[in-house]
Amino acid sequence: MHYDTGKHCVFYHRYHLVWSTKYRYKVLLGDVRCRVRDIIRQVCAENGVDIIRGVLSSDHVHMFVSVPPKLAVSDLMRLMKGRSSHKVQREFPHLKKRYWGCHFWGRGYFSTTNGAITEDIVLQYLENHIADPTGASR
Protein backbone atom coordinates (compact mmCIF):
# COMPACT_ATOMS: atom_id res chain seq x y z
CA MET A 1 0.00 0.00 0.00
CA HIS A 2 1.13 3.50 -0.76
CA TYR A 3 -0.14 6.14 1.64
CA ASP A 4 -0.77 9.69 0.45
CA THR A 5 0.00 12.69 2.61
CA GLY A 6 -1.65 16.03 3.18
CA LYS A 7 -0.33 18.93 5.23
CA HIS A 8 -1.47 17.40 8.50
CA CYS A 9 -2.57 13.88 7.63
CA VAL A 10 -1.67 10.58 6.05
CA PHE A 11 -4.44 8.83 4.14
CA TYR A 12 -5.38 5.98 1.85
CA HIS A 13 -8.78 6.78 0.30
CA ARG A 14 -9.51 4.89 -2.90
CA TYR A 15 -12.91 5.15 -4.59
CA HIS A 16 -14.43 3.40 -7.57
CA LEU A 17 -16.79 5.91 -9.22
CA VAL A 18 -19.24 5.24 -12.05
CA TRP A 19 -21.74 7.55 -13.74
CA SER A 20 -23.60 7.51 -17.01
CA THR A 21 -24.98 9.86 -19.61
CA LYS A 22 -28.64 10.84 -19.42
CA TYR A 23 -30.80 8.03 -20.85
CA ARG A 24 -27.56 6.06 -21.45
CA TYR A 25 -27.21 7.69 -24.88
CA LYS A 26 -23.96 6.62 -26.52
CA VAL A 27 -22.49 10.09 -27.09
CA LEU A 28 -19.04 9.69 -25.52
CA LEU A 29 -17.37 9.16 -28.87
CA GLY A 30 -14.65 10.96 -30.83
CA ASP A 31 -14.04 14.59 -29.89
CA VAL A 32 -16.70 14.57 -27.16
CA ARG A 33 -14.95 11.63 -25.49
CA CYS A 34 -11.54 13.36 -25.61
CA ARG A 35 -12.97 16.62 -24.28
CA VAL A 36 -14.80 14.92 -21.38
CA ARG A 37 -11.59 13.06 -20.49
CA ASP A 38 -9.59 16.31 -20.51
CA ILE A 39 -12.15 18.15 -18.37
CA ILE A 40 -12.25 15.34 -15.81
CA ARG A 41 -8.45 15.28 -15.64
CA GLN A 42 -8.40 19.05 -15.15
CA VAL A 43 -10.96 18.96 -12.31
CA CYS A 44 -9.07 16.15 -10.59
CA ALA A 45 -5.73 17.97 -10.89
CA GLU A 46 -7.21 21.19 -9.48
CA ASN A 47 -8.56 19.35 -6.42
CA GLY A 48 -5.59 17.08 -5.65
CA VAL A 49 -7.33 13.91 -6.82
CA ASP A 50 -5.07 11.21 -8.27
CA ILE A 51 -6.61 9.18 -11.08
CA ILE A 52 -5.33 5.64 -10.64
CA ARG A 53 -7.30 4.25 -13.58
CA GLY A 54 -10.15 5.53 -15.73
CA VAL A 55 -12.24 4.14 -18.57
CA LEU A 56 -14.68 6.04 -20.77
CA SER A 57 -17.24 3.84 -22.48
CA SER A 58 -19.66 5.20 -25.05
CA ASP A 59 -22.36 5.86 -22.42
CA HIS A 60 -20.67 5.84 -18.99
CA VAL A 61 -17.47 6.60 -17.09
CA HIS A 62 -15.53 4.38 -14.66
CA MET A 63 -12.84 5.88 -12.45
CA PHE A 64 -10.63 4.54 -9.69
CA VAL A 65 -9.31 7.55 -7.80
CA SER A 66 -7.50 8.61 -4.65
CA VAL A 67 -9.40 11.46 -3.02
CA PRO A 68 -7.87 13.64 -0.27
CA PRO A 69 -9.83 13.81 3.01
CA LYS A 70 -10.59 17.53 2.59
CA LEU A 71 -12.78 16.76 -0.43
CA ALA A 72 -16.08 14.89 -0.17
CA VAL A 73 -16.82 12.40 -2.94
CA SER A 74 -20.16 14.12 -3.55
CA ASP A 75 -18.38 17.44 -4.10
CA LEU A 76 -15.92 15.81 -6.51
CA MET A 77 -18.78 14.29 -8.50
CA ARG A 78 -20.62 17.61 -8.55
CA LEU A 79 -17.54 19.35 -9.91
CA MET A 80 -16.74 16.72 -12.55
CA LYS A 81 -20.29 16.25 -13.80
CA GLY A 82 -21.22 19.92 -13.65
CA ARG A 83 -18.19 21.36 -15.38
CA SER A 84 -18.03 18.65 -18.05
CA SER A 85 -21.75 18.95 -18.81
CA HIS A 86 -21.59 22.72 -19.13
CA LYS A 87 -18.47 22.81 -21.29
CA VAL A 88 -19.36 19.88 -23.55
CA GLN A 89 -22.84 21.22 -24.32
CA ARG A 90 -21.41 24.66 -25.03
CA GLU A 91 -18.60 23.35 -27.28
CA PHE A 92 -20.61 20.70 -29.18
CA PRO A 93 -23.89 22.24 -30.38
CA HIS A 94 -25.05 18.97 -31.97
CA LEU A 95 -25.69 17.63 -28.43
CA LYS A 96 -28.47 20.21 -27.92
CA LYS A 97 -30.80 18.10 -30.09
CA ARG A 98 -30.34 15.11 -27.84
CA TYR A 99 -30.10 16.95 -24.53
CA TRP A 100 -32.59 19.77 -24.93
CA GLY A 101 -33.06 20.03 -21.14
CA CYS A 102 -29.36 20.82 -20.58
CA HIS A 103 -28.79 17.65 -18.53
CA PHE A 104 -25.87 15.73 -20.05
CA TRP A 105 -25.28 13.26 -17.21
CA GLY A 106 -27.80 11.06 -15.42
CA ARG A 107 -28.90 12.13 -11.94
CA GLY A 108 -26.90 9.78 -9.76
CA TYR A 109 -23.59 8.01 -9.53
CA PHE A 110 -22.11 4.85 -8.03
CA SER A 111 -19.35 5.05 -5.45
CA THR A 112 -17.59 2.40 -3.43
CA THR A 113 -14.37 2.09 -1.52
CA ASN A 114 -12.15 -0.86 -2.15
CA GLY A 115 -12.59 -2.22 1.37
CA ALA A 116 -14.91 -5.07 0.36
CA ILE A 117 -12.78 -6.10 -2.59
CA THR A 118 -9.10 -5.73 -3.26
CA GLU A 119 -7.61 -3.02 -5.39
CA ASP A 120 -6.32 -5.67 -7.81
CA ILE A 121 -9.87 -6.88 -8.51
CA VAL A 122 -11.03 -3.33 -9.33
CA LEU A 123 -8.05 -2.77 -11.62
CA GLN A 124 -8.58 -6.16 -13.28
CA TYR A 125 -12.25 -5.31 -13.83
CA LEU A 126 -11.32 -2.01 -15.46
CA GLU A 127 -8.76 -3.74 -17.70
CA ASN A 128 -11.40 -6.26 -18.83
CA HIS A 129 -13.90 -3.44 -19.28
CA ILE A 130 -11.70 -1.93 -21.99
CA ALA A 131 -11.81 -5.15 -24.00
CA ASP A 132 -15.58 -5.65 -23.57
CA PRO A 133 -17.10 -2.22 -22.74
CA THR A 134 -20.74 -3.30 -22.78
CA GLY A 135 -20.53 -6.75 -21.18
CA ALA A 136 -19.83 -6.56 -17.45
CA SER A 137 -21.14 -3.08 -16.81
CA ARG A 138 -24.76 -3.67 -17.73
Side-chain angles (χ1 to χ4, degrees):
M1 257 200 273
H2 172 70
Y3 292 104
D4 295 317
T5 58
K7 289 184 180 179
H8 302 285
C9 64
V10 177
F11 62 94
Y12 185 80
H13 297 169
R14 303 288 193 263
Y15 293 94
H16 180 202
L17 305 171
V18 184
W19 69 97
S20 63
T21 58
K22 186 94 170 167
Y23 310 118
R24 299 288 290 221
Y25 288 147
K26 298 180 185 313
V27 294
L28 297 176
L29 304 168
D31 291 339
V32 175
R33 176 191 204 106
C34 290
R35 187 62 178 132
V36 167
R37 184 183 66 208
D38 292 341
I39 294 167
I40 289 172
R41 285 179 178 171
Q42 179 185 16
V43 169
C44 288
E46 289 172 0
N47 291 286
V49 175
D50 291 328
I51 301 173
I52 299 166
R53 189 81 175 117
V55 177
L56 267 78
S57 294
S58 60
D59 63 351
H60 63 282
V61 179
H62 282 271
M63 291 181 69
F64 191 54
V65 294
S66 173
V67 180
K70 66 179 183 178
L71 182 64
V73 176
S74 59
D75 290 336
L76 174 65
M77 291 302 302
R78 179 182 50 81
L79 290 168
M80 287 193 298
K81 288 173 68 175
R83 188 176 300 171
S84 61
S85 175
H86 178 74
K87 287 187 176 186
V88 165
Q89 289 185 58
R90 191 178 65 213
E91 295 173 14
F92 299 96
H94 71 275
L95 293 174
K96 293 243 184 214
K97 293 178 187 173
R98 182 134 322 205
Y99 295 109
W100 51 270
C102 296
H103 296 284
F104 183 74
W105 299 110
R107 284 182 81 188
Y109 63 93
F110 169 80
S111 170
T112 185
T113 59
N114 68 332
I117 55 175
T118 65
E119 187 172 311
D120 295 332
I121 293 173
V122 174
L123 294 173
Q124 180 183 4
Y125 170 76
L126 291 175
E127 283 297 321
N128 293 336
H129 191 74
I130 294 172
D132 184 21
T134 57
S137 66
R138 296 262 174 207

